[in-house]
Each structure stands twice: as C-alpha cells, then as structure tokens.
Amino acid sequence: MEYPSKFVEEAVNQIAKLPGIGKKTALRLVLHLIKAKDENTYALTDALNNLRANIKFCKVCHTICDAEICSICSSHRRDRSIVCIVEDVKDVMAIENTAQFNGLYHVLGGVISPMNGIGPADLKIESLVNRVSDGQSEIKEVILALSPTMEGDTTSFYINKRIREITVKVSVIARGVPVGGDLEYADEITLGRSITGRTLFN
Amino acid sequence: MEYPSKFVEEAVNQIAKLPGIGKKTALRLVLHLIKAKDENTYALTDALNNLRANIKFCKVCHTICDAEICSICSSHRRDRSIVCIVEDVKDVMAIENTAQFNGLYHVLGGVISPMNGIGPADLKIESLVNRVSDGQSEIKEVILALSPTMEGDTTSFYINKRIREITVKVSVIARGVPVGGDLEYADEITLGRSITGRTLFN
C-alpha cells in the first residue's frame, strides 16, 4: 500500500511491529492520532519513553517495579516462607488479584521452550536456586504456578529437579475443572486430572 | 487492577486511549516493549513524535501529506477536470489502490453527523465550494464517493445542494451488489438499488 506521507508510513511500520497489530490497524491508530490533539500523541510517547528509561526489575524476584526491590519483596506483611514461581509479571498481577496468596514471588521471565530457543539459562532459575539455598533464607515452600502447557510442565519438572535436594517443600497449583465451567465441556485430560487429584470434601 | 509500576500504569493508560485497544491489550503491548530491545520503543516514539511534528495537510484537497500541496494535486499527469469527494485519507488510499481514477480528490475530514455534533462547518465543504466556483477552476465533474450510510447520504445531499448552482456535473459512485458476492446474501436495499440503478449490458 502506498502511504500519503513518509511520516505516516514510518509510524505505521513501527506500530505494526507490536504483537497482534497489523498494518491496517496501525494505519487506523495513526489517523486517529493525527485527528486528535497534539498533546495526546506527546502524552503517549512521553509515557513510553519514561517507561523505557525508568523501568526496573526487582533484584530479588525479578518482577517489574520502580525501585531496586519491589513492594512485595520489601513488605513486612508478606509471608516470607512461601515463594510462588510464575512465568511473568502478568501472572503476579493475576494472583495478586485473587487475594488468596500472601507470600513472595519469583518471576522466571518465561518458560523452557526449545522450539523458541529458550533454555534454562535464559530464565531466572539459577537466581531461584540461590535464593532458596541461601543459608539465611526463610523459604519453606515453593509453589510452581506455571501454565499447564507442555512448556510449563517441562519448566516445573526442571525446577523441581534442581531444588529437590534443598530441604524445601515443592508444590504445584491445583489442576481441575474451572469454577463455573460446565463439566461436559471440560476436556478429557483436565477432567481426568480433576479425578486423580481429588481432595477431601470439607 | 493494580500495576507493579507507575510507569507501566501510565503507559497502559495512554495506550488504552487509542481506539479499539483496552487495558488488557495495552498491558500486553507494554510488557512486549519492556521485553524487547530499548531501540524498539525509541523507534516507535520517535516515529510518532516525527509524525505529529511534521505532518501537513494539502492546502488544496486537505489530504495528509509531507508538503504544502500533495503529490496528487501537484501532479501534471492527473485529470484536473474531475474531483472525487471522500471522507478521509483512507478513502483516498483505497481509491488510489483501484487504479481506476486519475482525477483529483477533496478530503472532507468526516461526514455530517448531528449525533456526534459534526455539522457542515466542521468539514471542508466551504473549501470545496470555493474550489469548484473559482473562476480559474478547470473542474467539470464532482464525484461524491462517501460511505453509503445515513450520514454519508446526508452529506452527499448537502454538498449537491451547495454546488448545484455552479455549472458542474455532480455524480455519485455506483451502489449495487459487490463483485464476487453471492446475490442471495445481498441485503434488500442494496439489491433493490442494484435493480433501479441498472446499467446497459455492454
């Protein structure tokens, strides 16, 4: 497609690099920005530049934060004996939203995926092993909360193998039928696991 | 939702202001930018800032361009006797892609829409009337190529009323069944118009 201006073309090309946004959507966004007030565009670009320049990763759990140590890791109200292993910061936000977990997190930054060329060394697994095996560590339990996919399971298996020798309990989040879901629509593997992993009715 | 960083929150809020992008998608884009190289974010923000700072509108046809007069209006190869009236620059690009039109354009910048508070004065209609009624004008035909919606039809009707007195031919793009479309799926109004507006088979 031929664009009416090289500035439009460059903006479209840059926006279309974002995941899930094609050239047509990008053009729509660009024309929206052109039509809107100047301040809107500058507010957007300032926010992105500030993000890029100021974003930090917690030195303990590797989540995204504004300081050296994130608010969860530095909080005195959190239970320091439990660490929940998650793939990325979205999972931290999702678990925080449930208000069912009061421990700490450890953000791996991905899962082991040979297809995408991601091995254990690309993730924050060494840092987790060091954190758990540290003499001053208060950690008593590690919860594996990775996605129930092949990559997630592989990563859970690998982490369990690495920290099994350390005297720490390793647990995994429950797999079963989702709450509110109709039983007949649950797939066989999920339903099967919900039966083998059944718990006492209380 | 609580964000792990105020920079993430601000970036999400700004991106979510774009049309068709909600907070969840915005967060996904922000996390993508954080994960990607620094240069990607800066290339994006530079492109948007350059767009905002340098974009111009053609003084003749009001389309988006890089100069005072756009490449179509300043071209010697275009037929200066026909002007096609369109809603916005996307329509110019769409018609140019058909390679079926060699005249000039006039971009209104919208259509009359009382529901959205857009009246004739908000559009480039006066500019069109001046352009057509100018003594030195070579324009012999005006093609109304607005969307076949209530707003588009209202705008076409208004423009026709304004330029009818000027000795210029006013035409409207054909409405009928789309090429490649199955007749039974065409709606009644379109099918009805395709019959009343039938042309000689050649």
Side-chain angles (χ1 to χ4, degrees):
Chain A
M1 190 178 298
E2 217 169 292
Y3 295 97
S5 149
K6 65 175 192 288
F7 298 107
V8 170
E9 183 166 9
E10 177 62 12
V12 166
N13 287 341
Q14 289 298 336
I15 294 179
K17 281 184 186 169
L18 295 171
I21 297 187
K23 295 231 167 174
K24 260 200 157 163
T25 307
L27 179 63
R28 198 164 51 82
L29 298 179
V30 165
L31 295 179
H32 167 85
L33 286 175
I34 292 175
K35 238 183 180 176
K37 284 182 196 153
D38 285 24
E39 299 95 80
N40 293 18
T41 307
Y42 294 130
L44 172 64
T45 55
D46 284 352
L48 293 180
N49 283 336
N50 281 336
L51 171 79
R52 194 67 259 188
N54 296 308
I55 203 76
K56 289 194 180 75
F57 294 91
C58 174
K59 286 194 170 173
V60 180
C61 74
H62 310 289
T63 193
I64 291 165
C65 64
D66 291 343
E68 297 292 301
I69 308 286
C70 77
S71 59
I72 294 175
C73 285
S74 58
S75 167
H76 294 292
R77 293 190 188 168
R78 311 286 301 206
D79 181 353
R80 307 193 150 264
S81 67
I82 310 183
V83 174
C84 185
I85 317 293
V86 292
E87 186 177 333
D88 65 21
V89 67
K90 266 184 288 190
D91 301 327
V92 173
M93 290 168 69
I95 295 175
E96 282 298 287
N97 269 342
T98 68
Q100 296 287 318
F101 180 69
N102 192 37
L104 305 179
Y105 292 94
H106 191 89
V107 180
L108 294 180
V111 282
I112 296 172
S113 170
M115 291 277 280
N116 300 314
I118 301 171
D122 301 312
L123 308 173
K124 303 291 182 191
I125 294 180
E126 276 314 309
S127 149
L128 172 68
V129 174
N130 293 338
R131 197 175 160 191
V132 174
S133 58
D134 179 18
Q136 300 185 326
S137 160
E138 303 166 45
I139 300 166
K140 292 197 176 67
E141 181 175 354
V142 166
I143 305 176
L144 294 164
L146 302 174
S147 298
T149 57
M150 185 136 84
E151 286 85 2
D153 285 348
T154 307
T155 314
S156 294
F157 188 78
Y158 180 83
I159 292 175
N160 181 44
K161 207 174 141 193
R162 288 295 306 274
I163 58 178
R164 199 162 35 181
E165 304 111 49
I166 310 162
T167 49
V168 75
K169 195 165 125 191
V170 179
S171 61
V172 64
I173 53 166
R175 278 124 195 241
V177 286
V179 179
D182 208 325
L183 215 65
E184 65 174 310
Y185 296 119
D187 65 289
E188 292 133 24
I189 299 175
T190 303
L191 198 55
R193 286 216 188 179
S194 79
I195 292 170
T196 54
R198 67 193 177 278
T199 55
L200 283 174
F201 191 86
N202 56 356
Chain B
M1 190 176 300
E2 216 169 292
Y3 295 97
S5 149
K6 66 175 191 287
F7 299 108
V8 170
E9 183 167 9
E10 177 62 14
V12 166
N13 288 341
Q14 289 299 335
I15 294 179
K17 280 185 187 170
L18 295 171
I21 297 187
K23 294 230 168 174
K24 261 201 155 161
T25 306
L27 179 63
R28 198 163 51 82
L29 297 180
V30 165
L31 295 178
H32 166 86
L33 286 175
I34 292 175
K35 238 182 180 177
K37 285 183 195 151
D38 286 23
E39 298 97 81
N40 293 17
T41 308
Y42 294 130
L44 172 65
T45 55
D46 285 351
L48 293 180
N49 283 336
N50 280 336
L51 171 79
R52 194 68 259 188
N54 295 308
I55 204 75
K56 289 194 179 75
F57 293 90
C58 174
K59 287 195 170 173
V60 179
C61 74
H62 311 289
T63 193
I64 290 166
C65 64
D66 291 342
E68 296 292 301
I69 308 287
C70 77
S71 59
I72 294 175
C73 286
S74 58
S75 167
H76 293 294
R77 291 189 188 170
R78 312 285 302 206
D79 181 352
R80 309 194 148 263
S81 66
I82 310 183
V83 174
C84 184
I85 317 294
V86 292
E87 186 178 333
D88 65 20
V89 67
K90 267 184 286 190
D91 302 327
V92 173
M93 290 167 69
I95 295 176
E96 283 297 287
N97 269 341
T98 67
Q100 294 288 318
F101 180 70
N102 192 38
L104 306 179
Y105 291 94
H106 191 89
V107 180
L108 295 179
V111 282
I112 296 171
S113 169
M115 292 277 281
N116 299 314
I118 300 171
D122 301 311
L123 308 175
K124 302 291 182 191
I125 294 180
E126 276 314 309
S127 150
L128 172 69
V129 173
N130 292 339
R131 198 175 159 190
V132 174
S133 58
D134 178 18
Q136 300 186 325
S137 159
E138 303 167 43
I139 300 166
K140 292 198 176 67
E141 180 174 355
V142 166
I143 304 176
L144 294 164
L146 302 175
S147 298
T149 58
M150 186 136 84
E151 286 85 2
D153 285 349
T154 307
T155 314
S156 293
F157 188 78
Y158 180 84
I159 291 175
N160 182 45
K161 208 175 141 193
R162 288 296 306 276
I163 58 178
R164 199 162 35 181
E165 304 111 49
I166 310 161
T167 50
V168 75
K169 195 166 126 190
V170 179
S171 60
V172 64
I173 53 167
R175 277 125 195 238
V177 287
V179 180
D182 208 325
L183 216 64
E184 65 176 308
Y185 296 120
D187 65 289
E188 292 134 23
I189 299 175
T190 303
L191 198 55
R193 285 216 189 180
S194 79
I195 292 170
T196 54
R198 67 195 178 275
T199 54
L200 283 175
F201 193 85
N202 57 357

mmCIF file of all heavy atoms in Angstrom, chain A residues 44-80:
data_model
loop_
_atom_site.group_PDB
_atom_site.id
_atom_site.type_symbol
_atom_site.label_atom_id
_atom_site.label_comp_id
_atom_site.label_asym_id
_atom_site.label_seq_id
_atom_site.Cartn_x
_atom_site.Cartn_y
_atom_site.Cartn_z
ATOM 1 N N LEU A 44 1.403 10.062 24.956
ATOM 2 C CA LEU A 44 1.672 8.642 24.686
ATOM 3 C C LEU A 44 3.168 8.387 24.554
ATOM 4 O O LEU A 44 3.712 7.482 25.202
ATOM 5 C CB LEU A 44 0.939 8.232 23.400
ATOM 6 C CG LEU A 44 1.245 6.848 22.833
ATOM 7 C CD1 LEU A 44 0.789 5.761 23.802
ATOM 8 C CD2 LEU A 44 0.566 6.642 21.489
ATOM 9 N N THR A 45 3.843 9.208 23.742
ATOM 10 C CA THR A 45 5.274 8.952 23.521
ATOM 11 C C THR A 45 6.075 9.234 24.796
ATOM 12 O O THR A 45 7.020 8.505 25.094
ATOM 13 C CB THR A 45 5.812 9.796 22.347
ATOM 14 O OG1 THR A 45 5.541 11.168 22.584
ATOM 15 C CG2 THR A 45 5.163 9.381 21.042
ATOM 16 N N ASP A 46 5.672 10.242 25.572
ATOM 17 C CA ASP A 46 6.369 10.509 26.840
ATOM 18 C C ASP A 46 6.218 9.324 27.785
ATOM 19 O O ASP A 46 7.173 8.912 28.437
ATOM 20 C CB ASP A 46 5.805 11.771 27.511
ATOM 21 C CG ASP A 46 6.299 13.036 26.819
ATOM 22 O OD1 ASP A 46 7.181 12.914 25.954
ATOM 23 O OD2 ASP A 46 5.787 14.121 27.137
ATOM 24 N N ALA A 47 4.988 8.771 27.857
ATOM 25 C CA ALA A 47 4.747 7.643 28.758
ATOM 26 C C ALA A 47 5.623 6.456 28.370
ATOM 27 O O ALA A 47 6.208 5.794 29.225
ATOM 28 C CB ALA A 47 3.267 7.248 28.727
ATOM 29 N N LEU A 48 5.745 6.211 27.059
ATOM 30 C CA LEU A 48 6.554 5.074 26.606
ATOM 31 C C LEU A 48 8.042 5.325 26.834
ATOM 32 O O LEU A 48 8.767 4.424 27.260
ATOM 33 C CB LEU A 48 6.275 4.779 25.125
ATOM 34 C CG LEU A 48 4.865 4.275 24.813
ATOM 35 C CD1 LEU A 48 4.702 4.017 23.326
ATOM 36 C CD2 LEU A 48 4.550 3.014 25.588
ATOM 37 N N ASN A 49 8.490 6.547 26.577
ATOM 38 C CA ASN A 49 9.906 6.857 26.813
ATOM 39 C C ASN A 49 10.245 6.770 28.298
ATOM 40 O O ASN A 49 11.299 6.246 28.670
ATOM 41 C CB ASN A 49 10.240 8.254 26.277
ATOM 42 C CG ASN A 49 10.394 8.265 24.763
ATOM 43 O OD1 ASN A 49 10.693 7.232 24.161
ATOM 44 N ND2 ASN A 49 10.184 9.408 24.154
ATOM 45 N N ASN A 50 9.346 7.289 29.153
ATOM 46 C CA ASN A 50 9.565 7.209 30.604
ATOM 47 C C ASN A 50 9.600 5.762 31.065
ATOM 48 O O ASN A 50 10.420 5.379 31.893
ATOM 49 C CB ASN A 50 8.445 7.933 31.356
ATOM 50 C CG ASN A 50 8.650 9.432 31.343
ATOM 51 O OD1 ASN A 50 9.773 9.890 31.182
ATOM 52 N ND2 ASN A 50 7.573 10.175 31.509
ATOM 53 N N LEU A 51 8.685 4.976 30.519
ATOM 54 C CA LEU A 51 8.643 3.554 30.849
ATOM 55 C C LEU A 51 9.989 2.919 30.558
ATOM 56 O O LEU A 51 10.597 2.278 31.420
ATOM 57 C CB LEU A 51 7.547 2.889 30.004
ATOM 58 C CG LEU A 51 7.479 1.370 30.032
ATOM 59 C CD1 LEU A 51 6.791 0.907 31.302
ATOM 60 C CD2 LEU A 51 6.725 0.834 28.821
ATOM 61 N N ARG A 52 10.464 3.150 29.318
ATOM 62 C CA ARG A 52 11.705 2.518 28.873
ATOM 63 C C ARG A 52 12.898 2.991 29.702
ATOM 64 O O ARG A 52 13.784 2.220 30.044
ATOM 65 C CB ARG A 52 11.905 2.879 27.404
ATOM 66 C CG ARG A 52 12.937 2.088 26.663
ATOM 67 C CD ARG A 52 12.542 0.658 26.512
ATOM 68 N NE ARG A 52 13.210 -0.193 27.452
ATOM 69 C CZ ARG A 52 13.143 -1.505 27.426
ATOM 70 N NH1 ARG A 52 12.416 -2.133 26.531
ATOM 71 N NH2 ARG A 52 13.764 -2.221 28.321
ATOM 72 N N ALA A 53 12.891 4.279 30.052
ATOM 73 C CA ALA A 53 14.047 4.843 30.741
ATOM 74 C C ALA A 53 14.060 4.486 32.231
ATOM 75 O O ALA A 53 15.124 4.375 32.829
ATOM 76 C CB ALA A 53 14.056 6.355 30.564
ATOM 77 N N ASN A 54 12.880 4.291 32.826
ATOM 78 C CA ASN A 54 12.826 4.185 34.286
ATOM 79 C C ASN A 54 12.469 2.811 34.828
ATOM 80 O O ASN A 54 12.559 2.586 36.031
ATOM 81 C CB ASN A 54 11.814 5.191 34.841
ATOM 82 C CG ASN A 54 12.238 6.612 34.575
ATOM 83 O OD1 ASN A 54 13.361 6.988 34.890
ATOM 84 N ND2 ASN A 54 11.370 7.386 33.958
ATOM 85 N N ILE A 55 12.029 1.917 33.951
ATOM 86 C CA ILE A 55 11.553 0.640 34.459
ATOM 87 C C ILE A 55 12.715 -0.156 35.075
ATOM 88 O O ILE A 55 13.830 -0.138 34.573
ATOM 89 C CB ILE A 55 10.860 -0.165 33.318
ATOM 90 C CG1 ILE A 55 9.912 -1.169 33.903
ATOM 91 C CG2 ILE A 55 11.846 -0.840 32.386
ATOM 92 C CD1 ILE A 55 8.643 -0.556 34.406
ATOM 93 N N LYS A 56 12.445 -0.766 36.207
ATOM 94 C CA LYS A 56 13.469 -1.589 36.865
ATOM 95 C C LYS A 56 12.908 -2.980 37.108
ATOM 96 O O LYS A 56 11.698 -3.190 37.066
ATOM 97 C CB LYS A 56 13.864 -0.944 38.199
ATOM 98 C CG LYS A 56 14.659 0.317 38.070
ATOM 99 C CD LYS A 56 15.276 0.678 39.426
ATOM 100 C CE LYS A 56 16.087 1.960 39.328
ATOM 101 N NZ LYS A 56 15.240 3.149 39.241
ATOM 102 N N PHE A 57 13.803 -3.900 37.378
ATOM 103 C CA PHE A 57 13.379 -5.248 37.742
ATOM 104 C C PHE A 57 13.860 -5.514 39.158
ATOM 105 O O PHE A 57 15.012 -5.225 39.490
ATOM 106 C CB PHE A 57 13.962 -6.275 36.763
ATOM 107 C CG PHE A 57 13.414 -6.124 35.378
ATOM 108 C CD1 PHE A 57 14.044 -5.309 34.447
ATOM 109 C CD2 PHE A 57 12.247 -6.776 35.014
ATOM 110 C CE1 PHE A 57 13.516 -5.144 33.172
ATOM 111 C CE2 PHE A 57 11.721 -6.622 33.739
ATOM 112 C CZ PHE A 57 12.357 -5.809 32.816
ATOM 113 N N CYS A 58 12.975 -6.049 39.995
ATOM 114 C CA CYS A 58 13.307 -6.330 41.397
ATOM 115 C C CYS A 58 14.516 -7.256 41.454
ATOM 116 O O CYS A 58 14.572 -8.266 40.754
ATOM 117 C CB CYS A 58 12.097 -6.958 42.083
ATOM 118 S SG CYS A 58 12.460 -7.504 43.763
ATOM 119 N N LYS A 59 15.494 -6.914 42.295
ATOM 120 C CA LYS A 59 16.717 -7.718 42.366
ATOM 121 C C LYS A 59 16.481 -9.063 43.023
ATOM 122 O O LYS A 59 17.288 -9.980 42.884
ATOM 123 C CB LYS A 59 17.792 -6.953 43.140
ATOM 124 C CG LYS A 59 18.354 -5.818 42.307
ATOM 125 C CD LYS A 59 19.629 -5.277 42.902
ATOM 126 C CE LYS A 59 20.289 -4.325 41.917
ATOM 127 N NZ LYS A 59 21.441 -3.644 42.505
ATOM 128 N N VAL A 60 15.380 -9.188 43.758
ATOM 129 C CA VAL A 60 15.092 -10.447 44.438
ATOM 130 C C VAL A 60 14.210 -11.345 43.566
ATOM 131 O O VAL A 60 14.573 -12.468 43.242
ATOM 132 C CB VAL A 60 14.431 -10.192 45.810
ATOM 133 C CG1 VAL A 60 14.120 -11.507 46.513
ATOM 134 C CG2 VAL A 60 15.328 -9.322 46.676
ATOM 135 N N CYS A 61 13.032 -10.816 43.169
ATOM 136 C CA CYS A 61 12.071 -11.687 42.476
ATOM 137 C C CYS A 61 11.974 -11.432 40.981
ATOM 138 O O CYS A 61 11.266 -12.135 40.272
ATOM 139 C CB CYS A 61 10.695 -11.570 43.124
ATOM 140 S SG CYS A 61 9.866 -10.026 42.740
ATOM 141 N N HIS A 62 12.676 -10.406 40.472
ATOM 142 C CA HIS A 62 12.745 -10.091 39.033
ATOM 143 C C HIS A 62 11.431 -9.611 38.429
ATOM 144 O O HIS A 62 11.272 -9.633 37.212
ATOM 145 C CB HIS A 62 13.272 -11.285 38.233
ATOM 146 C CG HIS A 62 14.523 -11.855 38.803
ATOM 147 N ND1 HIS A 62 15.724 -11.204 38.749
ATOM 148 C CD2 HIS A 62 14.749 -13.002 39.486
ATOM 149 C CE1 HIS A 62 16.645 -11.924 39.358
ATOM 150 N NE2 HIS A 62 16.077 -13.022 39.818
ATOM 151 N N THR A 63 10.490 -9.181 39.261
ATOM 152 C CA THR A 63 9.278 -8.608 38.696
ATOM 153 C C THR A 63 9.562 -7.162 38.283
ATOM 154 O O THR A 63 10.577 -6.579 38.687
ATOM 155 C CB THR A 63 8.093 -8.674 39.690
ATOM 156 O OG1 THR A 63 6.903 -8.384 38.965
ATOM 157 C CG2 THR A 63 8.235 -7.680 40.827
ATOM 158 N N ILE A 64 8.668 -6.588 37.485
ATOM 159 C CA ILE A 64 8.818 -5.199 37.074
ATOM 160 C C ILE A 64 8.471 -4.299 38.259
ATOM 161 O O ILE A 64 7.472 -4.543 38.945
ATOM 162 C CB ILE A 64 7.882 -4.906 35.888
ATOM 163 C CG1 ILE A 64 8.370 -5.648 34.651
ATOM 164 C CG2 ILE A 64 7.747 -3.420 35.622
ATOM 165 C CD1 ILE A 64 7.349 -5.721 33.548
ATOM 166 N N CYS A 65 9.278 -3.285 38.516
ATOM 167 C CA CYS A 65 8.962 -2.376 39.615
ATOM 168 C C CYS A 65 9.651 -1.040 39.416
ATOM 169 O O CYS A 65 10.363 -0.845 38.431
ATOM 170 C CB CYS A 65 9.343 -2.998 40.951
ATOM 171 S SG CYS A 65 11.099 -3.265 41.121
ATOM 172 N N ASP A 66 9.425 -0.108 40.337
ATOM 173 C CA ASP A 66 10.017 1.230 40.219
ATOM 174 C C ASP A 66 11.284 1.381 41.045
ATOM 175 O O ASP A 66 11.997 2.360 40.881
ATOM 176 C CB ASP A 66 9.004 2.283 40.689
ATOM 177 C CG ASP A 66 7.840 2.397 39.731
ATOM 178 O OD1 ASP A 66 7.978 1.919 38.599
ATOM 179 O OD2 ASP A 66 6.803 2.954 40.126
ATOM 180 N N ALA A 67 11.547 0.423 41.943
ATOM 181 C CA ALA A 67 12.692 0.556 42.843
ATOM 182 C C ALA A 67 13.643 -0.629 42.655
ATOM 183 O O ALA A 67 13.452 -1.457 41.779
ATOM 184 C CB ALA A 67 12.194 0.625 44.274
ATOM 185 N N GLU A 68 14.673 -0.701 43.485
ATOM 186 C CA GLU A 68 15.615 -1.813 43.401
ATOM 187 C C GLU A 68 14.949 -3.113 43.848
ATOM 188 O O GLU A 68 15.188 -4.172 43.284
ATOM 189 C CB GLU A 68 16.836 -1.554 44.309
ATOM 190 C CG GLU A 68 17.665 -0.338 43.912
ATOM 191 C CD GLU A 68 18.384 -0.542 42.580
ATOM 192 O OE1 GLU A 68 19.177 -1.490 42.489
ATOM 193 O OE2 GLU A 68 18.126 0.233 41.642
ATOM 194 N N ILE A 69 14.134 -2.980 44.927
ATOM 195 C CA ILE A 69 13.413 -4.127 45.467
ATOM 196 C C ILE A 69 11.923 -3.803 45.356
ATOM 197 O O ILE A 69 11.500 -2.711 45.727
ATOM 198 C CB ILE A 69 13.769 -4.357 46.964
ATOM 199 C CG1 ILE A 69 15.296 -4.417 47.179
ATOM 200 C CG2 ILE A 69 13.074 -5.592 47.513
ATOM 201 C CD1 ILE A 69 15.965 -5.671 46.705
ATOM 202 N N CYS A 70 11.118 -4.751 44.865
ATOM 203 C CA CYS A 70 9.706 -4.455 44.624
ATOM 204 C C CYS A 70 8.924 -4.356 45.937
ATOM 205 O O CYS A 70 9.412 -4.752 46.999
ATOM 206 C CB CYS A 70 9.081 -5.501 43.709
ATOM 207 S SG CYS A 70 8.704 -7.049 44.530
ATOM 208 N N SER A 71 7.715 -3.813 45.838
ATOM 209 C CA SER A 71 6.918 -3.550 47.038
ATOM 210 C C SER A 71 6.523 -4.844 47.747
ATOM 211 O O SER A 71 6.349 -4.860 48.965
ATOM 212 C CB SER A 71 5.670 -2.755 46.666
ATOM 213 O OG SER A 71 4.907 -3.486 45.728
ATOM 214 N N ILE A 72 6.401 -5.936 47.010
ATOM 215 C CA ILE A 72 6.033 -7.217 47.636
ATOM 216 C C ILE A 72 7.224 -7.774 48.416
ATOM 217 O O ILE A 72 7.111 -8.148 49.580
ATOM 218 C CB ILE A 72 5.528 -8.227 46.581
ATOM 219 C CG1 ILE A 72 4.213 -7.727 45.967
ATOM 220 C CG2 ILE A 72 5.359 -9.617 47.193
ATOM 221 C CD1 ILE A 72 3.667 -8.577 44.839
ATOM 222 N N CYS A 73 8.395 -7.792 47.768
ATOM 223 C CA CYS A 73 9.592 -8.335 48.421
ATOM 224 C C CYS A 73 9.985 -7.512 49.648
ATOM 225 O O CYS A 73 10.548 -8.043 50.603
ATOM 226 C CB CYS A 73 10.765 -8.373 47.450
ATOM 227 S SG CYS A 73 10.618 -9.696 46.245
ATOM 228 N N SER A 74 9.725 -6.201 49.619
ATOM 229 C CA SER A 74 10.150 -5.351 50.732
ATOM 230 C C SER A 74 9.059 -5.195 51.794
ATOM 231 O O SER A 74 9.292 -4.561 52.821
ATOM 232 C CB SER A 74 10.577 -3.980 50.200
ATOM 233 O OG SER A 74 9.511 -3.383 49.493
ATOM 234 N N SER A 75 7.879 -5.785 51.541
ATOM 235 C CA SER A 75 6.789 -5.645 52.502
ATOM 236 C C SER A 75 7.014 -6.516 53.738
ATOM 237 O O SER A 75 7.510 -7.642 53.636
ATOM 238 C CB SER A 75 5.473 -6.038 51.832
ATOM 239 O OG SER A 75 4.465 -6.192 52.806
ATOM 240 N N HIS A 76 6.640 -5.977 54.928
ATOM 241 C CA HIS A 76 6.788 -6.750 56.170
ATOM 242 C C HIS A 76 5.546 -7.577 56.445
ATOM 243 O O HIS A 76 5.515 -8.375 57.372
ATOM 244 C CB HIS A 76 7.073 -5.814 57.343
ATOM 245 C CG HIS A 76 8.390 -5.143 57.205
ATOM 246 N ND1 HIS A 76 9.574 -5.828 57.296
ATOM 247 C CD2 HIS A 76 8.698 -3.851 56.938
ATOM 248 C CE1 HIS A 76 10.579 -4.987 57.105
ATOM 249 N NE2 HIS A 76 10.065 -3.773 56.873
ATOM 250 N N ARG A 77 4.491 -7.349 55.645
ATOM 251 C CA ARG A 77 3.238 -8.060 55.878
ATOM 252 C C ARG A 77 3.157 -9.380 55.132
ATOM 253 O O ARG A 77 2.205 -10.119 55.288
ATOM 254 C CB ARG A 77 2.061 -7.189 55.427
ATOM 255 C CG ARG A 77 1.898 -5.956 56.282
ATOM 256 C CD ARG A 77 0.605 -5.274 55.945
ATOM 257 N NE ARG A 77 0.515 -4.002 56.622
ATOM 258 C CZ ARG A 77 -0.397 -3.084 56.350
ATOM 259 N NH1 ARG A 77 -1.306 -3.324 55.408
ATOM 260 N NH2 ARG A 77 -0.432 -1.954 57.000
ATOM 261 N N ARG A 78 4.126 -9.634 54.237
ATOM 262 C CA ARG A 78 4.051 -10.844 53.421
ATOM 263 C C ARG A 78 4.732 -12.007 54.134
ATOM 264 O O ARG A 78 5.700 -11.825 54.870
ATOM 265 C CB ARG A 78 4.728 -10.632 52.062
ATOM 266 C CG ARG A 78 4.328 -9.375 51.321
ATOM 267 C CD ARG A 78 2.964 -9.405 50.701
ATOM 268 N NE ARG A 78 2.767 -10.458 49.745
ATOM 269 C CZ ARG A 78 1.879 -10.398 48.743
ATOM 270 N NH1 ARG A 78 1.126 -9.310 48.575
ATOM 271 N NH2 ARG A 78 1.714 -11.411 47.940
ATOM 272 N N ASP A 79 4.208 -13.187 53.854
ATOM 273 C CA ASP A 79 4.754 -14.419 54.427
ATOM 274 C C ASP A 79 6.028 -14.788 53.661
ATOM 275 O O ASP A 79 5.976 -15.171 52.492
ATOM 276 C CB ASP A 79 3.688 -15.518 54.279
ATOM 277 C CG ASP A 79 4.170 -16.834 54.889
ATOM 278 O OD1 ASP A 79 5.358 -16.916 55.284
ATOM 279 O OD2 ASP A 79 3.354 -17.769 54.971
ATOM 280 N N ARG A 80 7.195 -14.682 54.336
ATOM 281 C CA ARG A 80 8.472 -14.899 53.639
ATOM 282 C C ARG A 80 8.839 -16.371 53.534
ATOM 283 O O ARG A 80 9.913 -16.709 53.046
ATOM 284 C CB ARG A 80 9.594 -14.146 54.356
ATOM 285 C CG ARG A 80 9.230 -12.702 54.540
ATOM 286 C CD ARG A 80 10.367 -11.822 54.959
ATOM 287 N NE ARG A 80 10.085 -10.505 54.412
ATOM 288 C CZ ARG A 80 10.571 -10.063 53.273
ATOM 289 N NH1 ARG A 80 11.405 -10.786 52.579
ATOM 290 N NH2 ARG A 80 10.232 -8.876 52.819
#
